[in-house]
Amino acid sequence: MNRDAKRTLLQDVAREAGVSTASVSRVLNRAPHVSERLRSRVEAAINSLGYVPDGTARALASRRIGAIGALVPTLDNPVFSAMIDSLEQRLKQYDCRLLIATYRYRLDEEVESLRTLIQQGIDGAVLIGHDHLPATLELFRRHEVPYLTCWHSEEDPDWPSIGFDNAAPARHLAEHLIQLGHRRFGVISAPADGNDRARARLTGFRQALEAAGLDLPDDHVVTVEYGIEEGAAAFADLMRLTPRPTAILCGNDVLAFGAMFAAAQAGIAIPDDLSITGFDDLPQSRFMHPALTTVAAPSAEVGRLVADTLVARIRGDQTPHRQVLEAQVVLRGTTAPPLHETQPA
Amino acid sequence: MNRDAKRTLLQDVAREAGVSTASVSRVLNRAPHVSERLRSRVEAAINSLGYVPDGTARALASRRIGAIGALVPTLDNPVFSAMIDSLEQRLKQYDCRLLIATYRYRLDEEVESLRTLIQQGIDGAVLIGHDHLPATLELFRRHEVPYLTCWHSEEDPDWPSIGFDNAAPARHLAEHLIQLGHRRFGVISAPADGNDRARARLTGFRQALEAAGLDLPDDHVVTVEYGIEEGAAAFADLMRLTPRPTAILCGNDVLAFGAMFAAAQAGIAIPDDLSITGFDDLPQSRFMHPALTTVAAPSAEVGRLVADTLVARIRGDQTPHRQVLEAQVVLRGTTAPPLHETQPA
DNA sequence: GTCCTTATTGTAAGCGCTTACAATCAAGCT
DNA sequence: AGCTTGATTGTAAGCGCTTACAATAAGGAC
């Protein structure tokens, strides 16, 4: 922003209205103890001069920035962009802007981005998930920046959170498949390193299998980066196992899309020959053929609640340390009993 | 950010290093005329005190913010979030942060958001598309904020741009279908109001049809909001026409997904009974069954180029007023000759 | 050795606003 | 009328940094 141009300043408004700068500032900030008469005089001056306060000066003097930072692994994943979308819309209602930084699942890059954001000036910040470097916490503490994590539901005194249990719905998904008669499972997971959500989902799958006395050999768990193509490749790997799994649990919908695509290519019928599940419930998941059985991550709700809660924290209000939302299993068309098998038990 | 805690200030660093505040500032800003000896002394002091400069004060004094604003209709559309993702990554290299605001396709909300961003402080801004209210331009001019528009390629002295022609590829898509033998077309378009891209694509479709002497009655163009469901509903409308169109041109991939879904539901085979095209080339489009014929919008490339160009403009460098990228038609499986028709000509 | 340049460094005046504190004033009491 | 009280408004000191300008030091040329 070029300020060489002589802008109208608060001072000019004060002169125009014949009041002090303090009064103008008070009107601007809706402070108490301002008479109607003064207010209207100032407002008239503001309008006639087209005055726009300088946010930078305001921030310096008031120690409030009017913006929060959001650190997300990537915006490429619709599940995050949906969350950010609702977060931003809600923040607007609090007259608060949104600064975004991505770190491509590299926690050290997360720290760096956070450092820059804090230095740049933010009133608060929200992170995704529970996995973070100690340096991250240290930054928040040191600069006394209110913060929140989301998308998980771990209980941790260090990390206030708004999210949902990633393990339980994953377990339910697996239990559902077990109940349908499946005994041999394959899993396609996102890299678990620095990604507690991926780990929790995997844990959920494992819990269900273990409880049913089923085995999940290491080579039945394929870890791949996020992406349809990656999901397809992982699927191909799993199909090379003998005997083949009859159900594939995917760590997210996009991986499941890839698996479904690869299945179609290979002439494997879903769900007759093989069941597949996802996690996230992206908009298109219910429009697939067949529609994807998955878990509905409450993206928009998380975004809204993060906005409300973080703003409250910034104001110094008390807020719950941990807020857990529902992530419902959505049974659709990609899961069915394993038809071509004898079904024991 | 709470500054009640006594932070280390630039002053403290100066005292610790036994130099003036100006010298510290010079070191911080890599200014010329600083001796090695002084530099290292100051750097040592900075490290030992763990000093972090205050971005707000810096912004006020230097008149540089270190952040740009991006105004997008919505992040819910992957095509935009992909662009934003690459924009942010590239900006990081210039040590520049990204402020995001969405306006849900309401141009008056765009103006308001821009006003807030400018007031808050941004060094530059990027808008989507060519349709904007005069007030938007007025804001840029008045506050002398460097700006850019993207995602379109209109030639307009008021609006520097980085994007691609939306009409030409749309025309090519229609021409391709005409060449395949199609004569009766349906169009599913996003609302054209305030959305030049949607209009341009529609224009492209019309040009091709007109050139071929084909008619496109008003009831063959259905306008719906963005969304799979919306696309499906529009498709159903078009299928009620008699005689039915043999090809449906969709304004974007998501609408095409909806159409494909509805077609499957209705037992209409794509592409045998009906051809469908999209626009955007979302990641999943090539993984549909059949894979979607569409136009590849260079999202990531636009993001990168916007970052490079806007930063250059902020620095005062000369940059091209209009940069046009390629948006290639991608022929895939949803388009084929209209089999069940006698093919004239 | 003196004077002029040029490279470094310091001094201090802002950047445009907020806000503690002081001053003012009208209203309510005695 | 004189005093108190509380609501309004003004005064001016910052917020933490950058940078124009002055001052000083260090080379060179004569």
Side-chain angles (χ1 to χ4, degrees):
Chain A
M1 177 150 45
N2 184 329
R3 305 208 202 119
D4 295 343
K6 296 190 187 30
R7 303 180 42 198
T8 337
L9 305 182
L10 184 142
Q11 211 175 88
D12 304 325
V13 176
R15 190 179 321 114
E16 171 85 8
V19 301
S20 74
T21 58
S23 294
V24 176
S25 176
R26 286 194 190 99
V27 170
L28 245 33
N29 295 293
R30 299 183 197 75
H33 307 315
V34 179
S35 69
E36 254 327 304
R37 198 168 126 282
L38 192 151
R39 172 188 316 283
S40 61
R41 279 244 300 285
V42 170
E43 271 164 2
I46 288 176
N47 289 330
S48 90
L49 295 176
Y51 168 69
V52 177
D54 178 311
T56 308
R58 227 168 165 174
L60 179 58
S62 69
R63 295 141 187 243
R64 265 180 289 103
I65 308 284
I68 70 145
L71 287 146
V72 290
T74 170
L75 286 176
D76 228 2
N77 186 334
V79 95
F80 292 134
S81 47
M83 195 270 268
I84 293 291
D85 201 63
S86 88
L87 172 62
E88 195 268 342
Q89 277 184 41
R90 189 65 159 218
L91 282 176
K92 202 175 278 183
Q93 300 178 10
Y94 294 110
D95 214 41
C96 185
R97 259 70 52 204
L98 180 65
L99 273 154
I100 296 215
T102 62
Y103 56 86
R104 282 163 293 172
Y105 291 99
R106 315 235 197 85
L107 293 183
D108 48 344
E109 204 172 317
E110 185 188 39
V111 175
E112 277 323 303
S113 296
L114 178 60
R115 190 191 313 286
T116 321
L117 285 183
I118 287 181
Q119 171 170 345
Q120 159 80 9
I122 47 176
D123 294 321
V126 55
L127 309 183
I128 300 285
H130 185 232
D131 278 3
H132 306 285
L133 298 181
T136 304
L137 191 56
E138 159 77 9
L139 276 173
F140 285 132
R141 293 254 167 88
R142 173 130 178 234
H143 296 275
E144 301 183 43
V145 175
Y147 63 96
L148 229 46
T149 61
C150 65
W151 224 254
H152 74 96
S153 65
E154 303 296 321
E155 188 128 34
D156 185 333
D158 285 341
W159 299 108
S161 68
I162 292 176
F164 48 87
D165 188 345
N166 282 271
R171 197 178 61 237
H172 295 153
L173 236 26
E175 284 165 357
H176 170 66
L177 288 166
I178 293 168
Q179 206 143 49
L180 288 174
H182 291 272
R183 292 298 176 267
R184 296 195 309 277
F185 290 83
V187 172
I188 304 179
S189 171
D193 193 49
N195 184 340
D196 51 280
R197 287 83 66 209
R199 272 205 313 283
R201 293 171 193 181
L202 197 49
T203 304
F205 297 150
R206 285 218 154 90
Q207 285 171 346
L209 299 191
E210 226 161 87
L214 297 173
D215 204 31
L216 184 63
D218 280 352
D219 61 353
H220 284 230
V221 178
V222 181
T223 296
V224 289
E225 299 286 329
Y226 177 87
I228 297 183
E229 216 147 347
E230 286 74 5
F235 180 86
D237 286 354
L238 288 173
M239 286 303 103
R240 261 179 235 116
L241 299 169
T242 45
R244 276 187 183 170
T246 63
I248 309 281
L249 297 155
C250 301
N252 59 58
D253 278 13
V254 167
L255 292 178
F257 293 165
M260 287 177 71
F261 172 73
Q265 293 275 300
I268 297 170
I270 311 293
D272 293 344
D273 297 337
L274 184 83
S275 287
I276 291 185
T277 66
F279 201 118
D280 283 347
D281 195 20
L282 299 186
Q284 61 262 39
S285 297
R286 42 180 291 236
F287 296 103
M288 312 283 300
H289 287 292
L292 183 63
T293 291
T294 186
V295 174
S299 303
E301 205 180 339
V302 169
R304 258 194 315 275
L305 205 50
V306 163
D308 293 343
T309 309
L310 192 52
V311 166
R313 288 201 157 228
I314 290 168
R315 286 182 185 153
D317 299 351
Q318 206 66 39
T319 66
H321 183 76
R322 176 165 170 260
Q323 296 180 69
V324 181
L325 305 176
E326 279 299 311
Q328 296 275 359
V329 168
V330 188
L331 298 179
R332 290 199 280 238
T334 55
T335 44
L339 279 192
H340 311 302
E341 307 269 334
T342 54
Q343 291 178 36
Chain B
M1 177 149 45
N2 183 329
R3 302 202 203 125
D4 294 343
K6 305 206 174 20
R7 303 180 43 196
T8 2
L9 305 182
L10 185 141
Q11 209 175 91
D12 304 324
V13 176
R15 191 179 319 114
E16 171 86 6
V19 301
S20 72
T21 57
S23 294
V24 176
S25 175
R26 286 194 190 99
V27 170
L28 246 33
N29 296 293
R30 299 183 199 73
H33 308 313
V34 179
S35 70
E36 253 328 302
R37 196 167 129 284
L38 192 149
R39 173 190 314 283
S40 60
R41 280 243 300 285
V42 169
E43 271 165 1
I46 287 176
N47 289 330
S48 88
L49 295 176
Y51 169 69
V52 177
D54 178 308
T56 308
R58 230 170 159 171
L60 179 58
S62 70
R63 296 142 185 242
R64 265 180 288 104
I65 307 285
I68 70 142
L71 286 145
V72 290
T74 170
L75 287 176
D76 227 3
N77 186 336
V79 95
F80 292 134
S81 48
M83 195 270 267
I84 293 290
D85 201 63
S86 87
L87 172 63
E88 195 269 341
Q89 278 184 41
R90 188 64 157 221
L91 282 176
K92 203 177 277 182
Q93 300 180 10
Y94 294 109
D95 213 41
C96 185
R97 260 69 53 202
L98 180 64
L99 271 155
I100 296 215
T102 62
Y103 56 87
R104 283 164 291 172
Y105 290 101
R106 315 236 197 84
L107 293 183
D108 49 345
E109 205 173 315
E110 185 188 41
V111 175
E112 276 325 302
S113 296
L114 178 61
R115 191 192 312 285
T116 321
L117 285 182
I118 287 180
Q119 171 170 346
Q120 158 80 8
I122 47 176
D123 294 321
V126 55
L127 309 184
I128 301 285
H130 183 232
D131 279 3
H132 305 286
L133 298 182
T136 304
L137 191 57
E138 159 77 10
L139 275 173
F140 285 134
R141 294 255 166 88
R142 173 130 178 234
H143 296 276
E144 300 183 42
V145 175
Y147 63 95
L148 230 46
T149 60
C150 66
W151 223 254
H152 74 96
S153 64
E154 304 296 320
E155 187 127 35
D156 184 333
D158 285 340
W159 299 109
S161 68
I162 294 177
F164 48 88
D165 188 344
N166 281 272
R171 197 177 62 236
H172 296 152
L173 234 28
E175 284 165 356
H176 170 66
L177 288 166
I178 293 168
Q179 206 142 50
L180 287 175
H182 291 272
R183 293 298 176 268
R184 293 195 311 277
F185 290 83
V187 172
I188 305 180
S189 170
D193 193 47
N195 185 339
D196 52 279
R197 287 83 69 208
R199 270 205 314 282
R201 293 170 194 182
L202 196 51
T203 304
F205 296 150
R206 285 219 155 92
Q207 285 170 346
L209 299 192
E210 225 161 87
L214 296 173
D215 204 31
L216 183 64
D218 280 353
D219 61 354
H220 284 231
V221 178
V222 181
T223 297
V224 289
E225 298 287 328
Y226 177 87
I228 298 183
E229 216 146 348
E230 286 75 4
F235 181 86
D237 285 353
L238 288 173
M239 286 302 104
R240 260 179 238 117
L241 297 169
T242 43
R244 278 186 182 172
T246 63
I248 308 281
L249 298 154
C250 301
N252 60 58
D253 278 13
V254 167
L255 293 178
F257 293 166
M260 287 177 73
F261 172 73
Q265 292 276 300
I268 298 171
I270 312 292
D272 293 344
D273 296 337
L274 185 81
S275 288
I276 292 185
T277 66
F279 202 117
D280 282 347
D281 196 19
L282 298 186
Q284 60 263 40
S285 298
R286 43 181 287 239
F287 297 104
M288 311 284 298
H289 288 292
L292 183 63
T293 290
T294 185
V295 174
S299 303
E301 203 180 341
V302 169
R304 259 194 314 276
L305 204 51
V306 164
D308 294 344
T309 309
L310 192 51
V311 167
R313 287 198 160 229
I314 290 168
R315 286 182 185 151
D317 300 351
Q318 206 64 39
T319 66
H321 184 76
R322 175 164 171 260
Q323 297 180 68
V324 182
L325 305 176
E326 279 299 310
Q328 296 276 358
V329 168
V330 188
L331 298 179
R332 290 199 281 240
T334 54
T335 42
L339 279 194
H340 310 302
E341 307 266 338
T342 53
Q343 290 179 37

